[in-house]
Amino acid sequence: MEESTRNHAKWPAVTVGLLLTFVGLALAVGGGKLISVGGSAYYLIAGLSIIACGVLFAQRRGAALWLYALILLATLVWALWEVGLDWWQLVPRVAILCLIGILLLLPWWRKPLRSRGGSLALVGSITAAVIVAIASQFNDPGAIEGTLATNRQAIANSVNPAQAAGDDWPAYGGTNAGTHYSSLNQITPDNIGELEEVWRIQTGDKAGSNAPPEITNQNTPLKVNDSLYICTSHSRAMALSPETGETLWAFDPDISTMGADDFSGWAHMTCRGLAYYDAASYSTSGETSGSDALPMLSEADVLCPRRLYLPTADARLIALNADTGERCASFGDNGEIDLTHNIGDFSPGGYYSTSPATVTENLVILGGHVTDNRSTDEPSGVIRAFDVHTGELVWNWDSGNPDDTAPLAEGETYTRNSPNVWAPISVDETLGLVYLPMGNATPDQYGGDRTENDETYSASLVALNVDDGQVAWVYQFVHHDLWDMDTPAQPVLIDLASENGTQPAVIQPTKQGSLYVLNRETGEPIVPIEEVPAPQGAVEGDWTAETQPRSALNLLPPPLTERDMWGASPFDQMMCRLQFNSLRYEGPYTPPSLEGSIIYPGNVGVMNWGGVAVDPERQALFTGAKYLAFVSTLIPREEVEEGQGSASEQGLQPNEGAPYAVELGPLLSVLGLPCQAPSWGDVVGIDLQNAEIAWKHRNGTTRDSMPFGLPISLNVGVPALGGPMTTAGGVSFLSGTLDQYLRGYDITTGEELYRARLPAGGQATPMTYTGNDGRQYVVVTAGGHGTFGTKMGDYVIGYALPE
């Protein structure tokens, strides 16, 4: 009987001993590999110590609890030395060991050891860990606390009306200045909590089985002409009642697959927005014609006085009567222009305009998306300006042939593979300048064969004369770009108050995190830009620039270190450390390599197509910022099978015609989590007069990213794809986070004041307007994003204060 009792008491201790030995063995083996690549010795030491603890447990020796208490305490001290009171960094280092310690104190495991002193020691170590955990709740090392100016009255009295939307929202960025700012002030920090959904529609345009991997719903509606105008992923246009969302008319261009069986092989499919033209707003004649009492109009304008310009995924530009949704027959060929003219061959979906055109008094101007990394023989990145009335090509600017802007003759082809403009374009009609956020020549990660013009215009901001398309000035933000750091967002035009008086400024958000502030008339920096040394050593056949320009106003994260590697547990964190030390990384602009290079910030950017919102009255900027590391691995051509890879945002990119393909993807743990510690997404408020960050906070939760769909909201700060919008009421909006919410913030402090649950991902940019009922509305598209991994849908939703 005694032997049976002893055996019964023995097995719990043996079981715990075996489990601890297994845990220790995993850490010791991985820790040994980590040391071999120059990493931390902690995991090997901890692993061997836990193995010893497991052996002592199996032997039912009281020293086991003493040793485990020492391991936990030493781990806590090491963790504080590495990351301080950073809760999310402490979790993978300490949490699981704490949990094991609590389990070891349960009587089934503790009693056979008969070590009261060891138990008290372990309680002491766990208590110390709990105290540290509590203290870390009051510390966010990445946060910046401060306030923005609430009122700058002298500036408020002279805000340029071209830089502020009002009752209407007539352009993608509010106006052609791209500020994403509205002078409406009905919604304020005091009442935003009362904001409620007042209407919701579904467009019927949903992602199907034949959709591209990156099908998105990034549309920002327009509100003008007493209507709300939207476009969908499949290039359909709709007019809605601004007060109810009721459909007034709909237009389907019936887009072609362009020779493919379906759309699944396309890289992208999206429509960020429409462009609007009203002939009456540009006419200066005092004469009138017709019963509508409009100023004197051309024949084309009489038939179609208010127009929408719809870019389609099969490379057309269609002019629609904004009143009826019918084609404006006098524009182009029965209301449309074939944008494939003079472009040459391309794969289906490989060329079209994802962003809306920009409309001036006489022109409709647009660039085009070109599929990245498919080959070195892709369509030109030409920007074309058409007569706003007739659709006749007035000028074209091809960065591969920048001095000749006269329209090409039939049968000629624009320069193949020249840098393009895929983001929205801005225009200052007073200065007569158009501002182009330039992409780069594909492939993105190899540049050994680029031309002199490629090197001049890639990843830059180019100002053209609106009348003839000739270059006025150019400023480059990345030299010899090997990281897909093309200029991703609409340039923002603002009259910036400074010690030297008001300057006409343009602000260019970038993927690398710098906010470049230039004089928009001359291209000279207003905020200092420094050329900083960059890592060297590209692959054979390529080269790297010695320096890269960095703005004094930036949201750049600190360079990564091994300590920044993260995970849900010590095990995947250790594997991330192993990855980090096995890859090439020398800070920003580490060249792509055969062994694989860490690119941080990654090519999704600190900022992307959503850009920034600027309040010209406060002289303040509001934006989201993303922080995700990527890995770029070059693969020699002879190792790539013919037809292997696809031109998507991730995975193997074929780069046909180049000596290397490239494997792209985020730096993830074995559990699929980012390898670098949160925050992965923030919201930021910037004082533009002082060029300083006023406040910065984590933004977004894990609500829609947890395993098994668990609805757990951890405030880690998650990436957002979508743009911000801000108002004179002192509130700003953003909806693009991985969790499905529209959020409202106090722009003065950055405090989140409002959160509305969305039925799908909100990877779009909110906008606002006044309805005919006098209410201020906020509208957002919630349609999801294919490669971002959010829930797909086809919703457009309107919010307002209670009547």
Side-chain angles (χ1 to χ4, degrees):
M1 184 70 177
E2 280 185 25
E3 184 176 351
S4 174
T5 301
R6 284 196 300 272
N7 288 336
H8 183 73
K10 173 182 176 182
W11 282 111
V14 170
T15 302
V16 170
L18 289 173
L19 290 174
L20 286 174
T21 301
F22 178 78
V23 168
L25 188 62
L27 289 175
V29 171
K33 291 182 178 179
L34 184 57
I35 287 178
S36 72
V37 293
S40 171
Y42 164 79
Y43 296 90
L44 176 61
I45 297 170
L48 294 174
S49 301
I50 292 173
I51 289 173
C53 188
V55 171
L56 292 173
F57 251 99
Q59 295 174 348
R60 291 184 292 169
R61 297 178 61 177
L65 290 177
W66 282 100
L67 180 56
Y68 194 86
L70 179 61
I71 293 169
L72 179 55
L73 185 61
T75 296
L76 183 61
V77 172
W78 166 76
L80 287 170
W81 171 71
E82 279 215 319
V83 299
L85 290 173
D86 185 339
W87 164 253
W88 288 110
Q89 287 266 47
L90 290 170
V91 165
R93 291 168 169 82
V94 180
I96 285 185
L97 291 185
C98 260
L99 180 61
I100 292 174
I102 292 170
L103 293 175
L104 294 181
L105 289 173
L106 295 176
W108 300 282
W109 325 116
R110 173 176 50 81
K111 281 187 176 181
L113 276 62
R114 299 178 180 176
S115 176
R116 178 174 176 82
S119 298
L120 291 175
L122 185 51
V123 168
S125 294
I126 293 171
T127 301
V130 170
I131 291 172
V132 167
I134 293 172
S136 70
Q137 300 303 305
F138 299 95
N139 178 59
D140 185 349
I144 298 173
E145 301 297 339
T147 58
L148 287 166
T150 56
N151 185 30
R152 286 182 165 132
Q153 192 59 46
I155 299 170
N157 293 334
S158 59
V159 169
N160 188 335
Q163 297 167 10
D167 289 334
D168 286 343
W169 190 275
Y172 171 82
T175 71
N176 280 343
T179 56
H180 292 273
Y181 169 79
S182 171
S183 60
L184 300 183
N185 59 10
Q186 192 176 112
I187 301 170
T188 69
D190 293 332
N191 63 24
I192 190 174
E194 302 172 30
L195 205 63
E196 60 186 13
E197 181 180 323
V198 292
W199 59 259
R200 172 188 300 204
I201 69 151
Q202 290 183 260
T203 66
D205 192 338
K206 297 183 178 180
S209 59
N210 69 342
E214 188 167 308
I215 185 169
T216 64
N217 291 271
Q218 301 172 4
N219 176 247
T220 298
L222 305 182
K223 191 273 181 175
V224 68
N225 191 35
D226 289 332
S227 299
L228 195 67
Y229 298 110
I230 64 172
C231 63
T232 70
S233 300
H234 287 81
S235 309
R236 299 167 190 161
M238 299 174 67
L240 311 177
S241 164
E243 296 78 32
T244 66
E246 177 187 0
T247 300
L248 305 178
W249 58 254
F251 173 82
D252 187 348
D254 191 22
I255 57 174
S256 164
T257 60
M258 307 189 77
D261 293 335
D262 54 33
F263 298 115
S264 59
W266 293 30
H268 306 270
M269 183 175 284
T270 195
C271 180
R272 293 194 182 95
L274 301 160
Y276 179 78
Y277 173 80
D278 187 342
S281 65
Y282 284 106
S283 178
T284 58
S285 171
E287 300 178 46
T288 60
S289 63
S291 59
D292 291 332
L294 290 174
M296 184 64 70
L297 305 177
S298 68
E299 182 180 351
D301 287 335
V302 169
L303 296 173
C304 220
R306 290 167 290 278
R307 302 174 178 216
L308 295 169
Y309 295 94
L310 168 69
T312 68
D314 57 358
R316 291 178 284 163
L317 179 66
I318 301 176
L320 300 175
N321 186 315
D323 297 335
T324 65
E326 298 175 350
R327 291 171 180 262
C328 294
S330 61
F331 182 83
D333 181 6
N334 190 32
E336 70 177 53
I337 296 170
D338 182 357
L339 297 176
T340 66
H341 280 165
N342 303 107
I343 287 293
D345 295 334
F346 59 91
S347 301
Y351 176 84
Y352 71 98
S353 185
T354 55
S355 293
T358 297
V359 173
T360 72
E361 180 176 3
N362 297 310
L363 301 174
V364 53
I365 307 167
L366 78 167
H369 140 83
V370 175
T371 300
D372 288 340
N373 304 330
R374 187 188 297 276
S375 78
T376 58
D377 185 27
E378 294 299 318
S380 171
V382 63
I383 290 83
R384 287 175 280 190
F386 300 95
D387 185 286
V388 75
H389 311 284
T390 67
E392 179 184 359
L393 183 61
V394 177
W395 55 257
N396 41 233
W397 185 76
D398 177 359
S399 60
N401 183 23
D403 297 326
D404 187 0
T405 63
L408 288 191
E410 190 69 29
E412 294 183 343
T413 303
Y414 296 111
T415 308
R416 299 290 288 177
N417 222 49
S418 58
N420 66 325
V421 174
W422 57 268
I425 294 168
S426 297
V427 63
D428 184 330
E429 292 194 67
T430 301
L431 291 178
L433 294 176
V434 178
Y435 301 93
L436 310 179
M438 296 297 296
N440 45 35
T442 186
D444 295 320
Q445 286 76 26
Y446 179 80
D449 301 321
R450 292 177 186 163
T451 68
E452 182 180 349
N453 283 328
D454 291 343
E455 299 293 358
T456 299
Y457 295 108
S458 288
S460 68
L461 181 63
V462 174
L464 303 181
N465 292 309
V466 70
D467 291 333
D468 58 13
Q470 291 291 326
V471 174
W473 56 258
V474 57
Y475 200 104
Q476 189 171 63
F477 305 128
V478 185
H479 307 317
H480 194 65
D481 182 13
L482 300 175
W483 307 273
D484 192 18
M485 293 296 167
D486 49 356
T487 312
Q490 183 175 22
V492 179
L493 314 184
I494 178 178
D495 295 337
L496 188 61
S498 69
E499 294 178 354
N500 301 319
T502 300
Q503 296 198 57
V506 54
I507 303 172
Q508 184 58 65
T510 61
K511 290 183 178 181
Q512 60 268 32
S514 277
L515 288 153
Y516 297 95
V517 185
L518 309 174
N519 183 302
R520 68 175 180 269
E521 187 171 7
T522 66
E524 294 297 318
I526 295 174
V527 174
I529 299 172
E530 179 186 7
E531 289 285 342
V532 297
Q536 298 297 293
V539 293
E540 182 180 355
D542 208 345
W543 57 278
T544 52
E546 292 184 359
T547 63
Q548 294 291 351
R550 181 176 64 196
S551 173
L553 178 59
N554 67 73
L555 300 175
L556 274 70
L560 292 173
T561 67
E562 184 191 328
R563 297 181 182 190
D564 296 314
M565 295 302 100
W566 193 75
S569 70
F571 308 104
D572 57 319
Q573 184 192 43
M574 177 181 65
M575 297 303 293
C576 281
R577 286 178 178 249
L578 190 58
Q579 280 192 74
F580 179 81
N581 285 283
S582 301
L583 295 165
R584 181 179 180 186
Y585 180 66
E586 300 161 37
Y589 304 109
T590 299
S593 61
L594 297 175
E595 67 267 34
S597 296
I598 294 175
I599 311 301
Y600 183 66
N603 66 328
V604 298
V606 176
M607 290 162 280
N608 206 294
W609 55 265
V612 301
V614 171
D615 183 331
E617 177 180 338
R618 291 172 181 256
Q619 301 275 284
L621 183 150
F622 170 75
T623 190
K626 299 180 293 300
Y627 299 106
L628 285 176
F630 271 61
V631 177
S632 176
T633 306
L634 295 175
I635 303 171
R637 174 61 50 201
E638 59 270 18
E639 298 178 17
V640 181
E641 297 180 9
E642 186 175 353
Q644 187 179 5
S646 63
S648 60
E649 293 294 311
Q650 299 179 24
L652 181 64
Q653 318 280 291
N655 289 353
E656 295 172 5
Y660 303 93
V662 64
E663 184 83 33
L664 293 174
L667 180 62
L668 300 178
S669 75
V670 292
L671 299 181
L673 298 171
C675 262
Q676 100 260 7
S679 173
W680 306 307
D682 297 334
V683 282
V684 186
I686 292 174
D687 185 327
L688 290 172
Q689 284 199 355
N690 300 320
E692 292 179 349
I693 298 173
W695 52 259
K696 181 180 180 182
H697 304 145
R698 295 176 190 260
N699 187 52
T701 71
T702 60
R703 170 64 176 78
D704 297 296
S705 306
M706 293 294 289
F708 312 111
L710 296 173
I712 299 174
S713 296
L714 303 176
N715 187 33
V716 294
V718 299
L721 267 180
M725 179 266 289
T726 193
T727 71
V731 292
S732 303
F733 294 88
L734 186 69
S735 66
T737 50
L738 276 173
D739 56 352
Q740 296 166 201
Y741 290 101
L742 169 67
R743 288 180 166 88
Y745 311 83
D746 183 339
I747 193 175
T748 303
T749 64
E751 180 185 358
E752 182 183 317
L753 301 174
Y754 176 78
R755 186 185 300 186
R757 183 73 175 155
L758 297 174
Q763 281 67 58
T765 305
M767 49 80 73
T768 189
Y769 58 87
T770 301
N772 287 329
D773 54 4
R775 302 167 78 187
Q776 181 183 350
Y777 290 80
V778 174
V779 172
V780 67
T781 300
H785 191 290
T787 55
F788 204 50
T790 52
K791 182 180 178 182
M792 301 303 293
D794 61 338
Y795 300 90
V796 182
I797 305 173
Y799 301 84
L801 296 172
E803 292 187 89

